[in-house]
Amino acid sequence: MKVALELGEVLDVALVEGDRIIGTLSLELKGLSGSSSRTVGRPSGASAKTASTAADSAVTGRRRKRKPMSDEARKRMAEAQRKRWEKSRSSDGEPTNE
């Protein structure tokens, strides 16, 4: 059905319809979020659990100690990384230092 309207009336009708649609959608979204059992964010009590775990490990000494790395192993790892960097630099077409 077509109705002859002035330009201002057409804009008013469009604004009213837009507001109606937005209102309907917001009600639908509220209904959807209310029916869901999932919530956004950290679960309640999660921060207390992590804090108590960290405190317990500090007090009881249950924290796993790192195995010391020898100087020789560090040098091998450093050299292997330098080789990987050199390979990536040479494949990029950049000049190398050597």
Side-chain angles (χ1 to χ4, degrees), residues 75-92:
K75 288 179 184 178
R76 282 195 311 260
M77 290 175 62
E79 186 59 34
Q81 184 62 43
R82 284 188 201 102
K83 286 181 182 180
R84 287 191 291 272
W85 285 337
E86 187 67 31
K87 184 179 178 183
S88 69
R89 286 184 196 134
S90 65
S91 66
D92 292 340

Side-chain angles (χ1 to χ4, degrees), residues 9-55:
E9 292 174 341
V10 172
L11 290 176
D12 288 339
V13 170
L15 289 173
V16 169
E17 280 297 306
D19 289 341
R20 185 185 63 80
I21 291 170
I22 290 172
T24 303
L25 289 175
S26 64
L27 286 175
E28 287 292 324
L29 287 174
K30 285 180 184 177
L32 289 176
S33 64
S35 65
S36 176
S37 63
R38 296 186 66 165
T39 59
V40 177
R42 183 177 289 185
S44 62
S47 60
K49 289 178 186 176
T50 57
S52 67
T53 306

Side-chain angles (χ1 to χ4, degrees), residues 46-78:
S47 60
K49 289 178 186 176
T50 57
S52 67
T53 306
D56 290 343
S57 65
V59 171
T60 60
R62 291 182 182 177
R63 187 172 178 186
R64 197 171 101 173
K65 293 184 179 181
R66 283 190 177 181
K67 195 172 186 180
M69 189 181 304
S70 68
D71 290 338
E72 184 180 319
R74 287 181 200 271
K75 288 179 184 178
R76 282 195 311 260
M77 290 175 62

